[in-house]
Structure formats: C-alpha cells, structure tokens
Amino acid sequence: AQSVTQLDSQVPVFEEAPVELRCNYSSSVSVYLFWYVQYPNQGLQLLLKYLSGSTLVESINGFEAEFNKSQTSFHLRKPSVHISDTAEYFCAVSHDTGRRALTFGSGTRLQVQP
Amino acid sequence: EAGVAQSPRYKIIEKRQSVAFWCNPISGHATLYWYQQILGQGPKLLIQFQNNGVVDDSQLPKDRFSAERLKGVDSTLKIQPAKLEDSAVYLCASSLAPREQFFGPGTRLTVL
C-alpha cells in the first residue's frame, strides 16, 4: 500500500514571495511522483513529474520539485509566485510497475495575495 | 489533440435516484480511470480499465456503483441508488503510457 501526506491544507503567501508546498509519501516499492494543479471548476492538470534520473524536476511555469528518497519527500517550490498561481495543488504517487493508479494527497490550497 | 471529455458537467438528483456519467478518453489511450473527489479531499480511485477489462475495482462500492467500458473506448459510471455521501466530483482520466494520466473536467454530482 502507498500513501501521500500533504502537511499544509492552506498556504497563504504574498505575490512575488517564495513558496514551498510539502509532500511526503510512503511506499514499499519504487514509485513515480507527480504534482497536479486544479483551478476552480476545472479538472486536474499535470504540473511536473519524477520518473527517474535527476531528482530535481522543473515545470514550464517556474515551479520545481525535488525527489528526496531518504526523506521520502517531493516538495514543490517556486521562488516568486503570481496571483495566477492561486489554485489547489495535489501531490500523487504511483507504483513504477503494475497497475499504476494514482494515490493522491488531500491537497494544499495556495492563496496568493497582492 | 482533443482532451478527455466528460458529460454532464453538473448533475443534481434526489437520494435513491440513479445517475450515469459518461467519459470519452483521448484517442488511442488504452487505460481509463474513474476517480471520486469529495470536497476538501484528493481524488480516490474507483476503477481502472485496461482496454475493456477491469484492472482494479477494489475501492468501487459494488452494491451501488457500476462501470463499463464498451469496445475499449468510451466508459460509463452508474450509481443506483444514490446516497447523500455520493455528492462529489467524478473525474475520468486516461493514459497511453503508464507515466502520465490526463484528466477530464469532471462531473459535479449533488445528491439532495
């Protein structure tokens, strides 16, 4: 079995400030890791993913996440947020073999204030 | 490339009524998933199809929920009879390779 813990349900931050959204996972086998973003009344959009290789992965809109195997973490960071980053962010994990369905965390609401 | 399509987008029903949701995955995607997202929670897998066969339905409440994927393309998810706790967003996702799932906009179900 696998599980995902997102430690913060809400993160308020001012525009242009840095932000970190925390994610820890538990699994007995090797995993793939994902961050999805959900804007109001929309479906989930993939933000970035770790499959293998470099432990630091980046998205096209300035977010990055680092896979830390020893700490079983996959925290999401952005050095300077925009109002448009306001959304719900979900961390997810899947096995790297087998059925590969996603197990999601409970989400973190990022609220960017002017 | 067209994305995952779902309909309806919104549905309001009375408890004990039945309801059905439809999903059309991205063309060529063999794997299709249905997730339930209750307000304030992350999505939870209900059922996974590979082509038209069920891979995992261990978390599907089979006394009231059913799903099928005819000809390995479109899928329908049905609830009969609905309960108040079934109020949620039902998300459909599809994947070609096992490394990325693409999600539809979801169907928001309200059970009164």
Side-chain angles (χ1 to χ4, degrees):
Chain A
Q2 56 197 19
S3 65
V4 177
T5 302
Q6 291 184 246
L7 299 166
D8 306 296
S9 60
Q10 294 188 58
V11 174
V13 64
F14 287 107
E15 194 173 18
E16 298 183 7
V19 71
E20 178 180 79
L21 306 183
R22 295 179 291 172
C23 172
N24 288 88
Y25 70 93
S26 172
S27 177
S28 57
V29 298
S30 296
V31 297
Y32 293 150
L33 293 158
F34 306 84
W35 275 99
Y36 281 85
V37 60
Q38 187 174 39
Y39 298 101
N41 298 316
Q42 294 186 27
L44 294 163
Q45 300 173 30
L46 181 67
L47 189 59
L48 46 75
K49 61 187 176 185
Y50 171 78
L51 305 178
S52 64
S54 173
T55 57
L56 184 65
V57 291
E58 299 177 351
S59 72
I60 58 173
N61 56 356
F63 283 93
E64 65 178 31
E66 186 162 18
F67 169 53
N68 188 318
K69 188 174 182 179
S70 63
Q71 297 186 7
T72 60
S73 68
F74 191 55
H75 301 331
L76 181 69
R77 303 184 184 95
K78 189 171 186 180
S80 177
V81 295
H82 301 288
I83 295 287
S84 59
D85 293 324
T86 295
E88 189 90 18
Y89 291 80
F90 292 94
C91 182
V93 62
S94 74
H95 290 167
D96 65 353
T97 58
R99 295 174 178 176
R100 296 195 175 101
L102 293 168
T103 299
F104 285 88
S106 55
T108 297
R109 177 164 296 279
L110 177 63
Q111 298 169 306
V112 181
Q113 304 165 6
Chain B
E1 179 182 79
V4 177
Q6 291 187 246
S7 68
R9 291 295 311 276
Y10 305 91
K11 189 74 176 179
I12 300 174
I13 62 172
E14 301 279 337
K15 60 183 179 183
R16 292 188 289 273
Q17 286 186 324
S18 62
V19 64
F21 312 127
W22 173 82
C23 172
N24 179 242
I26 294 173
S27 178
H29 282 196
T31 310
L32 185 147
Y33 310 80
W34 282 102
Y35 291 86
Q36 179 193 57
Q37 185 179 16
I38 294 173
L39 186 65
Q41 300 180 20
K44 183 187 77 172
L45 178 72
L46 290 175
I47 189 167
Q48 178 184 347
F49 291 95
Q50 180 72 24
N51 295 309
N52 60 352
V54 175
V55 174
D56 183 357
D57 64 356
S58 58
Q59 299 188 77
L60 187 73
K62 298 181 186 62
D63 58 333
R64 298 183 300 106
F65 286 65
S66 64
E68 61 181 5
R69 189 180 184 196
L70 299 176
K71 300 181 181 179
V73 182
D74 293 5
S75 178
T76 56
L77 176 69
K78 297 179 182 178
I79 308 175
Q80 182 179 13
K83 294 184 175 181
L84 296 176
E85 59 261 36
D86 298 331
S87 293
V89 176
Y90 291 85
L91 295 165
C92 179
S94 69
S95 66
L96 175 61
R99 298 182 174 189
E100 182 173 349
Q101 295 180 27
F102 295 85
F103 284 81
T107 296
R108 183 178 297 277
L109 173 66
T110 302
V111 182
L112 304 176

